[in-house]
Amino acid sequence: MVSYRSDGIPSESELKELICQYKTNVKIKKYGNYKYALSKNKKSEELLFIGE
């Protein structure tokens, strides 16, 4: 499981591709607004990448 924010680098799709190299099934759960301490973007969401 990886916790990430939607406006991070690499992008959501790039990170999923990376995780798919090690896990055959990757699910992404999105949770509402997430304020990262150093980010000025107020529209980012928390993403949980769950690999099985």
Side-chain angles (χ1 to χ4, degrees), residues 15-42:
L15 185 55
K16 183 177 180 181
E17 278 184 43
L18 289 170
I19 296 171
C20 283
Q21 293 177 13
Y22 303 97
K23 300 293 181 181
T24 56
N25 185 20
V26 178
K27 297 177 185 174
I28 301 173
K29 300 282 186 174
K30 294 184 179 187
Y31 294 93
N33 294 338
Y34 178 74
K35 178 74 168 111
Y36 180 65
L38 301 176
S39 176
K40 294 182 171 120
N41 183 356
K42 294 180 181 178

